[in-house]
Amino acid sequence: MNIRSLTRGDGVVIGAAVVLFIASFLDFSSYDCPQGVDCSRYDSPNAWDSLGLLMSVFLAGVIGAALVIVSRAMPGRKVVGLDLGQFGTALTVFALWTAFWTILDVNNAGAGLILGLLAAIVLVAGTVAGPLIPAFKAPLLSPASPAQGVGAGQAPYGAGPGQGYGFPAGQQQPYGAQPSQGYGYPGAPQQGQPAQGDPAQAQQAQQPAQGGAATAGEFTAFWFAVPVARPLYGEDGSPNPIAELAPGTWYLAVEQRGQSLIAQTQDGRRGVLQDTTGIQRG
């Protein structure tokens, strides 16, 4: 998963899961040591000393958080008929439910149980409210510019030497533009355009090519980035997305189908990008 595709809600979920895991090592309960008794040899139990508490509160919350993050990275994945995100959210709610009634049942709750309850509350808030609150849906990190996407002198993913992202003087070629539309190097003749001052070459350029079809309509693969997160659907027409294209990441367009693009992710998956409005061509 690209870290730039994470939202603020994902950051809250990950942080709460880390705190919940740390809380499992802290004391489950506390007690007052009687005066005159050496209590240093008595160790307070933690969640790892109780398998039922460990699995139902702490590990259930951590596993639920992991499933939620994976579901947002790979939409459409299911477990026993449920979406991974729904299954993970159910686990986090179950962890909070168990922690709440457990802390009511314990006479002297320790730091581990108190911190675990607080972490479970934040975890459920992040998983449930993350897709609903606009502030939580904002990117965790600002998208990188094309120049920042790769290191100096390093070619982009899958590109050969000389296939840079940008164009001179900050000009970038929008999606669908042909070379004849003037996107090129300043002062250089465009493809199929004769040099000025050469009548013979101009006459030759006006003659149709013999023995072959025109290649103006052929599709050429190119790199692009999306302005906002957009789903990538399977080529078989399935309504469930197979991936989510994240802003700040470059993807390869390998084919055009009507107004849609066949895009390839960095892990090799291919699918249909139905919404191509506002994409940035590399």
Side-chain angles (χ1 to χ4, degrees):
M1 181 179 180
N2 193 319
I3 191 173
R4 294 193 177 276
S5 65
L6 292 176
T7 64
R8 293 176 183 174
D10 297 332
V12 171
V13 171
I14 295 174
V18 172
V19 174
L20 187 62
F21 183 72
I22 295 174
S24 67
F25 295 95
L26 303 180
D27 294 343
F28 169 72
S29 61
S30 61
Y31 60 90
D32 297 328
C33 182
Q35 187 176 4
V37 177
D38 183 13
C39 299
S40 59
R41 54 196 181 100
Y42 298 102
D43 294 331
S44 298
N46 57 28
W48 293 87
D49 296 319
S50 175
L51 182 60
L53 179 65
L54 175 68
M55 299 303 299
S56 60
V57 176
F58 298 93
L59 291 188
V62 172
I63 294 173
L67 292 179
V68 169
I69 298 301
V70 170
S71 72
R72 294 173 184 174
M74 298 182 294
R77 302 298 177 91
K78 297 185 180 241
V79 174
V80 295
L82 292 176
D83 182 82
L84 278 181
Q86 297 173 338
F87 194 78
T89 301
L91 274 178
T92 59
V93 173
F94 172 74
L96 174 59
W97 174 264
T98 308
F100 175 74
W101 291 108
T102 302
I103 201 170
L104 291 182
D105 189 53
V106 175
N107 293 328
N108 296 317
L113 196 53
I114 296 174
L115 186 60
L117 176 63
L118 297 177
I121 294 174
V122 176
L123 182 59
V124 171
T127 55
V128 175
L132 303 177
I133 300 178
F136 279 10
K137 293 191 291 185
L140 186 61
L141 300 175
S142 59
S145 63
Q148 295 172 343
V150 292
Q154 179 183 1
Y157 169 77
Q163 296 178 345
Y165 281 130
F167 290 83
Q171 297 178 352
Q172 293 182 342
Q173 186 173 7
Y175 169 65
Q178 301 295 332
S180 60
Q181 293 175 305
Y183 292 96
Y185 292 95
Q190 305 297 327
Q191 184 178 1
Q193 178 182 353
Q196 298 180 359
D198 193 344
Q201 189 175 359
Q203 182 178 2
Q204 182 180 1
Q206 294 176 356
Q207 298 177 353
Q210 299 180 355
T215 60
E218 293 183 359
F219 180 83
T220 302
F222 62 89
W223 293 91
F224 71 94
V226 292
V228 294
R230 288 179 180 169
L232 189 69
Y233 297 93
E235 296 186 70
D236 56 357
S238 173
N240 296 323
I242 62 171
E244 184 178 69
L245 303 189
T249 303
W250 293 94
Y251 302 96
L252 184 65
V254 297
E255 185 181 341
Q256 183 175 357
R257 294 183 183 176
Q259 298 298 323
S260 303
L261 288 175
I262 304 299
Q264 179 174 325
T265 62
Q266 295 189 1
D267 57 6
R269 289 180 291 172
R270 287 176 43 148
V272 180
L273 176 64
Q274 298 179 354
D275 185 4
T276 59
T277 56
I279 65 173
Q280 180 184 0
R281 180 166 174 170

